Amino acid sequence: MTTTCVKRAFKYRFHPTDAQAAELSRTFGCVRKVYNLALAARTQAWVRGERVNYSQTSAMLTVWKKTEELAYLSEVSSVPLQQTLRHLQVAFTNFFGKRAQYPRFKSRKKSRRSAEYTTSAFRFRDGRLTLAKMQEPLAVVWSRPLPEGASPSTVTVSQDSAGRWFVSMLCDDSGVEPLPTTDTAVGIDVGLDHLLTLSTGEKIANPRHERRDRARLALAQRRLAKKAKGGGANRTKARHKVAKIHARIADRRRDHLHKLTTRLVRENQTLVIEDLTVRNMVKNHALARAISDAAWAEFRSMLEYKAQWYGRDIVAVDRFFPSSRLCSNCGTLARSMPLHVRTWTCDCGTIHDRDVNAAKNLLAAGLAVSACGAGVRPQRRTPGGQPAVKQETPRREP
């Protein structure tokens, strides 16, 4: 079986020394400063009707380093500063391509603390990683090995809001083997009562990771709110405690989704999902918290890249396809389906579980897409005038 070469990022925890932590903190600050300066320069040029590209901002960086006010930029490695200018160029390219909004300035308190190093700014030998401007290698916790013979092309160092340090190493992994082809296909209906409902009838429970730690999180947030603003040590400790709880929730959610998507990709050749716009759905304040905790967008992202790695097919059915109200047995379309109805009986006598029926209809529609190459036509309005948009349980999160 042939193997494919894919770009994979391997992320590890590491524990810097005090000197390394200070150096990285200075680098993060300089990266943020250069990004904001370049963004301001490009914005001012945009107002004047001019265009500034990466090469021009790179020349500006050289000038900034020679000024007395910004001379400290020369104290850190120049590679992360150049990389942040490249990232800004990508942001503007996406903006002009109408794929993203206009780039925003980085905040010291809210923006991600990270720096990217290319091969000229780090040394990786015998499992020891040493960054530029550092004498000692990083104390990396090698929780899993890198691919055999792989050498990182870029290294990204970051610190999350909980104070944890991470290093992400981008490598070429040539050992990814497509899975054996099977004839199995599954329709996947996402929800809130159950995280996933499969066309096979299986229902996967929603772990509700955020709800499990909600009391602890609320207590930590109340204690943080009582601390005086102004950067005191007590407020910093309280903020870190809140961040640690959020990190714990996110880690558990990500781990569960990884296990779930890996299982689905291994067991099925074709996976049919619904093309939901989660960004718009979270505008419903009654369900936004539950939808965010379910992480439907992250689930889809994991499913898509794993399917691409292992030779599986992903089919996305139009979000306006009335999967819940269409009888999977006879094809009759129900005129209305109130949100509280979880089971219903079709005129043909078939009793449907709402979610299982939706998953079966998604599977049938997805197989039709695969067979003829045509998309599922949107049905925005039913004969009774009701919108055909997929609806979830209206229950409010306490």
Side-chain angles (χ1 to χ4, degrees):
M1 183 176 294
T2 60
T3 61
T4 58
C5 183
V6 298
K7 290 281 189 180
R8 295 185 65 176
F10 294 81
K11 191 173 183 179
Y12 304 94
R13 285 282 302 273
F14 75 95
H15 304 284
T17 63
D18 292 340
Q20 290 173 338
E23 177 64 28
L24 290 173
S25 296
R26 283 195 297 270
T27 302
F28 295 158
C30 292
V31 165
R32 184 181 61 251
K33 181 66 174 181
V34 169
Y35 185 95
N36 289 341
L37 287 172
L39 177 56
R42 296 185 69 148
T43 301
Q44 293 170 1
W46 172 263
V47 173
R48 297 193 303 267
E50 302 174 358
R51 290 283 187 92
V52 174
N53 55 26
Y54 161 74
S55 299
Q56 291 170 297
T57 54
S58 180
M60 293 178 185
L61 175 59
T62 303
V63 176
W64 293 334
K65 289 182 177 180
K66 295 179 180 179
T67 63
E68 182 178 356
E69 181 183 2
L70 300 175
Y72 61 88
L73 296 178
S74 300
E75 298 176 0
V76 301
S77 173
S78 62
V79 173
L81 306 185
Q82 293 290 343
Q83 289 299 103
T84 196
L85 295 180
R86 292 188 175 93
H87 295 164
L88 180 60
Q89 178 64 37
V90 172
F92 271 100
T93 301
N94 291 333
F95 167 70
F96 291 127
K98 298 183 179 180
R99 296 183 295 271
Q101 296 181 347
Y102 193 82
R104 295 184 296 180
F105 290 96
K106 292 184 180 293
S107 167
R108 185 180 65 178
K109 294 183 178 180
K110 297 181 180 180
S111 297
R112 181 170 180 261
R113 292 165 55 84
S114 66
E116 185 177 275
Y117 296 79
T118 58
T119 52
S120 61
F122 68 86
R123 183 175 66 254
F124 182 70
R125 294 177 184 172
D126 302 325
R128 296 165 66 88
L129 176 66
T130 306
L131 301 178
K133 301 286 186 177
M134 295 185 185
Q135 301 297 325
E136 300 178 358
L138 300 179
V140 180
V141 180
W142 299 104
S143 53
R144 56 174 174 166
L146 289 174
E148 186 176 355
S151 180
S153 57
T154 62
V155 169
T156 301
V157 180
S158 61
Q159 184 185 29
D160 66 6
S161 56
R164 303 180 301 177
W165 295 86
F166 296 93
V167 56
S168 180
M169 309 174 72
L170 185 64
C171 303
D172 289 323
D173 188 357
S174 58
V176 177
E177 297 183 359
L179 295 171
T181 303
T182 67
D183 57 356
T184 56
V186 67
I188 305 172
D189 181 69
V190 296
L192 298 179
D193 277 349
H194 294 87
L195 182 62
L196 301 178
T197 301
L198 308 183
S199 56
T200 58
E202 179 185 358
K203 292 188 175 183
I204 299 173
N206 186 354
R208 302 182 187 273
H209 299 287
E210 187 270 342
R211 177 183 284 184
R212 289 170 56 185
D213 279 348
R214 186 172 297 175
R216 183 185 302 176
L217 178 61
L219 177 61
Q221 289 174 329
R222 286 196 298 270
R223 289 176 175 173
L224 173 61
K226 293 179 181 179
K227 298 295 186 290
K229 295 182 179 180
N234 288 337
R235 183 174 177 83
T236 300
K237 291 179 182 179
R239 182 172 55 81
H240 280 173
K241 190 165 186 177
V242 172
K244 286 181 179 180
I245 298 174
H246 277 297
R248 173 185 171 88
I249 294 171
D251 288 345
R252 289 193 312 220
R253 181 188 298 122
R254 190 180 305 109
D255 178 70
H256 180 258
L257 290 179
H258 269 300
K259 293 175 180 177
L260 190 57
T261 52
T262 298
R263 175 204 150 189
L264 291 172
V265 168
R266 289 185 182 277
E267 295 178 353
N268 301 279
Q269 179 65 36
T270 303
L271 303 102
V272 184
I273 58 178
E274 194 168 12
D275 187 22
L276 299 176
T277 52
V278 179
R279 181 180 300 178
N280 293 336
M281 297 178 72
V282 294
K283 294 179 181 179
N284 180 346
H285 298 292
L287 298 175
R289 193 172 195 172
I291 293 174
S292 298
D293 191 25
W296 293 341
E298 188 173 7
F299 166 77
R300 175 172 177 172
S301 175
M302 290 182 181
L303 203 64
E304 287 178 340
Y305 80 72
K306 290 180 182 180
Q308 183 180 5
W309 284 1
Y310 298 111
R312 299 314 199 197
D313 301 319
I314 296 288
V315 181
V317 176
D318 191 282
R319 66 182 66 95
F320 293 107
F321 177 67
S323 57
S324 298
R325 297 183 300 106
L326 187 67
C327 176
S328 58
N329 184 47
C330 67
T332 300
L333 185 65
R335 294 178 62 88
S336 63
M337 187 71 62
L339 291 173
H340 65 274
V341 176
R342 308 315 297 173
T343 60
W344 59 284
T345 304
C346 180
D347 294 339
C348 67
T350 305
I351 301 176
H352 292 294
D353 178 286
R354 180 190 183 111
D355 297 330
V356 174
N357 177 66
K360 291 180 179 179
N361 286 324
L362 288 173
L363 175 59
L367 293 179
V369 171
S370 300
C372 63
V376 179
R377 290 190 62 182
Q379 300 183 33
R380 297 177 181 271
R381 292 279 171 182
T382 67
Q386 296 295 326
V389 182
K390 170 183 170 67
Q391 297 174 339
E392 289 296 335
T393 173
R395 216 164 28 182
R396 289 177 177 267
E397 289 287 300

